Amino acid sequence: EKQLTEAKQALVTAQTELATAQKADATRLSTIAQAEQTVSAATQDVASKTALVTEATDKATETASVLQVAQDAFKVTENDLNALNTITLSSDYIMALKEYGKTYSQPAKEKLDALITDLRKQNSFKANLNDSEELLDTNNLSEEARTELSLFASDLINQIRHLVGTKTTVVTKGALQLADATTDGYVADNWSWNDVGHDVKAVKQAAEKLGLKTGGQYYENMFTVSRPQPKMTISQAKAMIYQGLLNFMVGGYEYLHALSIAGLSNDVVYSGVDLSSRQDASSVHFLTVADSHIQSS
């Protein structure tokens, strides 16, 4: 009986301890479940916020890319604007040039001579930072380069012609071919600094090749410097074109080229430009053609 009583007491004690243990275990499981729920919520929150960060980062990258494109486009436009080249001539100069074109008189020339010093100071070349710095073969410029240079020259010539009130020029494929063929002739003849004036043979052969009249040298105005330039950049070529036109208009040596460029001594409208380099000289060749010069092309 004593042993039974002790056994019963032990059973009660064990049952009490089991209940306590079960309660503790239930509390632990609840804590674990709550912790797991908290971790799950935190994980979802982290994932959500990570997605937001990723989205924001992608948006920021996209915005930065759009901004860079806009900044690049602005810089290109700004460079173009800062490199707008102009040739400024006064009304007094234009009146004197027109008078000289009618009379070729010494008084008219003296009027021009008195005006050109100030005009030279008002005009200067502006380089375009957008232009490639690649060195080009002066005697083998691509059609693309010759077109760009011809359009640059035509724009400057037309500024002058607008001021004077004469027909403006237009760059055409035929005029580009005439300029290219003419410079090829100069290079083949190695036309020297000491060879006076134009290589008339080269100009006439180029004109004949393109079906133009060949009775005279109707087509070329040329600006030459006494050094070869077998390589040059687009910007250097533009600077030489600008220098050539400025020299024609306000150089002061003579004004026959000025009359031609201004359209006062001719009716030429089709325009093309090319450059050449020989052993002791390099030139810009301004080729212009009138409708009256065209025979078969």
Side-chain angles (χ1 to χ4, degrees):
E1 287 177 356
K2 181 180 178 182
Q3 287 175 350
L4 179 60
T5 299
E6 289 176 354
K8 286 180 179 179
Q9 185 61 45
L11 177 61
V12 170
T13 299
Q15 288 174 337
T16 301
E17 289 177 351
L18 175 61
T20 300
Q22 287 174 336
K23 184 178 179 182
D25 189 52
T27 300
R28 184 179 64 81
L29 291 174
S30 175
T31 301
I32 289 172
Q34 186 176 359
E36 287 175 343
Q37 186 176 7
T38 301
V39 168
S40 176
T43 301
Q44 290 177 1
D45 189 48
V46 167
S48 174
K49 286 185 167 127
T50 300
L52 288 173
V53 168
T54 301
E55 181 182 355
T57 302
D58 291 344
K59 186 66 178 175
T61 302
E62 179 185 352
T63 304
S65 177
V66 170
L67 176 62
Q68 187 62 53
V69 169
Q71 287 175 332
D72 291 345
F74 174 80
K75 192 62 181 175
V76 168
T77 305
E78 185 180 44
N79 289 342
D80 285 341
L81 179 63
N82 291 336
L84 285 176
N85 280 278
T86 58
I87 291 182
T88 301
L89 301 171
S90 66
S91 57
D92 289 341
Y93 171 92
I94 293 167
M95 289 175 60
L97 185 63
K98 287 181 176 179
E99 181 185 343
Y100 182 76
K102 292 175 182 177
T103 65
Y104 295 96
S105 67
Q106 186 61 26
K109 182 179 183 303
E110 289 173 357
K111 286 181 183 178
L112 289 167
D113 290 341
L115 295 167
I116 59 174
T117 300
D118 285 340
L119 289 174
R120 276 199 298 265
K121 294 176 182 175
Q122 294 175 34
N123 293 279
S124 60
F125 174 72
K126 299 174 184 175
N128 191 333
L129 296 177
N130 295 332
D131 285 337
S132 169
E133 295 183 3
E134 178 187 359
L135 282 172
L136 305 176
D137 182 349
T138 303
N139 291 332
N140 293 287
L141 296 175
S142 67
E143 182 178 356
E144 181 183 5
R146 287 184 286 110
T147 300
E148 181 177 354
L149 295 174
S150 296
L151 289 170
F152 176 78
S154 181
D155 174 59
L156 292 171
I157 292 170
N158 288 343
Q159 290 178 37
I160 294 168
R161 293 192 173 201
H162 278 303
L163 292 171
V164 175
T166 51
K167 280 185 180 179
T168 53
T169 62
V170 58
V171 175
T172 65
K173 286 187 178 293
L176 285 169
Q177 290 170 348
L178 177 63
D180 188 32
T182 299
T183 55
D184 287 348
Y186 271 83
V187 173
D189 295 340
N190 199 19
W191 195 254
S192 168
W193 172 257
N194 296 316
D195 292 320
V196 178
H198 300 269
D199 185 349
V200 176
K201 183 187 79 170
V203 178
K204 285 187 175 182
Q205 284 178 343
E208 184 178 11
K209 181 179 178 181
L210 288 162
L212 303 175
K213 287 184 179 179
T214 57
Q217 196 295 91
Y218 313 114
Y219 306 105
E220 183 183 51
N221 287 296
M222 180 174 66
F223 171 69
T224 302
V225 294
S226 59
R227 65 181 183 278
Q229 291 179 271
K231 299 285 185 182
M232 64 175 69
T233 65
I234 283 289
S235 185
Q236 288 170 332
K238 287 180 179 178
M240 193 170 177
I241 289 169
Y242 187 92
Q243 183 185 357
L245 289 172
L246 201 62
N247 189 73
F248 292 154
M249 302 309 298
V250 295
Y253 305 107
E254 45 76 34
Y255 295 97
L256 298 179
H257 284 91
L259 291 171
S260 177
I261 292 297
L264 290 170
S265 62
N266 55 54
D267 195 27
V268 298
V269 291
Y270 308 115
S271 175
V273 169
D274 200 1
L275 292 91
S276 70
S277 176
R278 288 91 65 196
Q279 71 173 31
D280 62 353
S282 53
S283 303
V284 183
H285 306 258
F286 300 86
L287 278 297
T288 46
V289 180
D291 282 310
S292 59
H293 296 148
I294 300 171
Q295 295 184 134
S296 61
S297 67

